[in-house]
Amino acid sequence: MKYTQTSPRLAYSLYGAPGDPGLVFVNGLAGRQEVWFHQVREFQKDFRVLCLDNRGAGRSETSSEAAVMRTYAVDLIRVMDEAGLEKAAFVGLSFGGRILQELSILAPERISRLVIGGTSCGGTPHQAGQWSLRALFRPGRPVNEQELYERVIPALFGPRYVESHEKHLRILCRSWASAPPDPVGLERQWDAYDAFDFSTRLGEVACPTLVVHGGDDGLSPMANAEFLAEQIPGAILARLPGVGHSPNVESPARFNRVLSDFLRPS
């Protein structure tokens, strides 16, 4: 684990050989870089892989200053600079997918390929799912293990995965309940999420783009992915039937195969 030298200090990890092409994984809201375990294990063989905790989440410091989505995109560039990555392919899910949309306009020269999943462009085109975490994950609101299992797990994972991984998911909820997100960091991320509207700029995304979306995503309906793929020039849409909001965890082999086909073109 490494930390940036400038404030807020951001936690990041590097894998693979220094001379290999860069590949950056970007977390969802309040997420930790450990969720990319299956992807790091696969892609460090051919890529210089960078994972990080966004400000206010995981092991990264929180800043009390206001934040918009561009704040997190600027942080991403800062981490890349310290890690020695001039250019990279990027993979971001949910909140991370929104950060990468912002990055595609802020620093297109740093992006070779772009993968966004379980996300939307925000604004009027955004369609809400059957689940909402806004009220439950209100900053400072305490949550217990059972409430997390009943209300958060069905939102973050598809029903097939929940049914077959109850023991693992209950352990995960116990961990979340014992170490909840920093309330200020969480509030800043929600502020950025709520203010985000990239709907009029999707046509400016110039890099090769893959949109990945689980067919059983309860937080973000497939219509959000279809809109992104329609509006981003040349974008490819990959649907993952039977998978929820966390394809990197629920079906890592299938998710990795879709990434590999896009990131390692023949």
Side-chain angles (χ1 to χ4, degrees):
M1 187 76 64
K2 300 176 181 291
Y3 293 87
T4 58
Q5 298 302 306
T6 53
S7 183
R9 297 182 70 225
L10 305 178
Y12 68 95
S13 301
L14 284 167
Y15 308 89
D20 285 342
L23 176 58
V24 182
F25 290 99
V26 187
N27 298 337
L29 192 143
R32 300 172 68 103
Q33 57 186 279
E34 287 83 357
V35 300
W36 302 108
F37 168 79
H38 297 289
Q39 288 66 53
V40 169
R41 185 173 59 179
E42 167 64 23
F43 290 99
Q44 68 177 334
K45 296 179 287 188
D46 300 308
F47 292 89
R48 181 64 160 166
V49 175
L50 168 65
C51 300
L52 72 152
D53 294 336
N54 294 317
R55 67 165 64 192
R59 298 173 183 83
S60 290
E61 287 184 344
T62 295
S63 173
S64 60
E65 66 185 37
V68 293
M69 207 60 68
R70 179 161 289 212
T71 307
Y72 300 93
V74 171
D75 282 347
L76 190 49
I77 295 172
R78 179 160 60 95
V79 175
M80 288 182 67
D81 288 343
E82 294 210 20
L85 290 181
E86 181 62 30
K87 192 170 186 175
F90 291 83
V91 180
L93 297 180
S94 196
F95 186 83
R98 293 185 172 210
I99 295 174
L100 293 184
Q101 290 174 63
E102 195 69 57
L103 183 72
S104 71
I105 302 299
L106 178 64
E109 73 283 357
R110 308 296 293 266
I111 304 173
S112 59
R113 287 177 175 262
L114 185 67
V115 181
I116 54 178
T119 193
S120 82
C121 62
T124 303
H126 170 76
Q127 293 192 27
Q130 67 185 98
W131 300 92
S132 173
L133 298 180
R134 190 66 169 96
L136 183 65
F137 273 161
R138 189 168 61 249
R141 181 188 184 281
V143 289
N144 60 46
E145 178 183 337
Q146 186 62 26
E147 189 175 25
L148 287 169
Y149 185 79
E150 292 176 352
R151 299 182 59 186
V152 176
I153 291 302
L156 294 183
F157 302 95
R160 296 185 188 181
Y161 188 80
V162 173
E163 183 178 355
S164 60
H165 289 77
E166 179 179 357
K167 181 178 179 180
H168 167 76
L169 292 172
R170 286 194 178 277
I171 293 172
L172 181 62
C173 290
R174 191 174 307 132
S175 174
W176 285 347
S178 65
D182 177 89
V184 175
L186 181 60
E187 183 174 15
R188 295 295 174 264
Q189 290 197 10
W190 275 124
D191 289 344
Y193 180 93
D194 291 340
F196 182 71
D197 184 356
F198 202 73
S199 58
T200 62
R201 306 200 70 185
L202 290 171
E204 300 176 45
V205 179
C207 58
T209 302
L210 172 67
V211 181
V212 182
H213 212 90
D216 291 343
D217 192 328
L219 279 179
S220 183
M222 183 65 72
N224 289 323
E226 292 170 344
F227 186 82
L228 289 170
E230 290 168 0
Q231 298 298 315
I232 296 174
I236 301 167
L237 175 59
R239 295 177 173 88
L240 299 179
V243 175
H245 193 66
S246 305
N248 55 318
V249 176
E250 295 177 56
S251 187
R254 197 168 10 151
F255 183 69
N256 288 355
R257 186 164 57 249
V258 170
L259 292 189
S260 184
D261 290 345
F262 182 71
L263 297 175
R264 299 163 168 154
S266 56

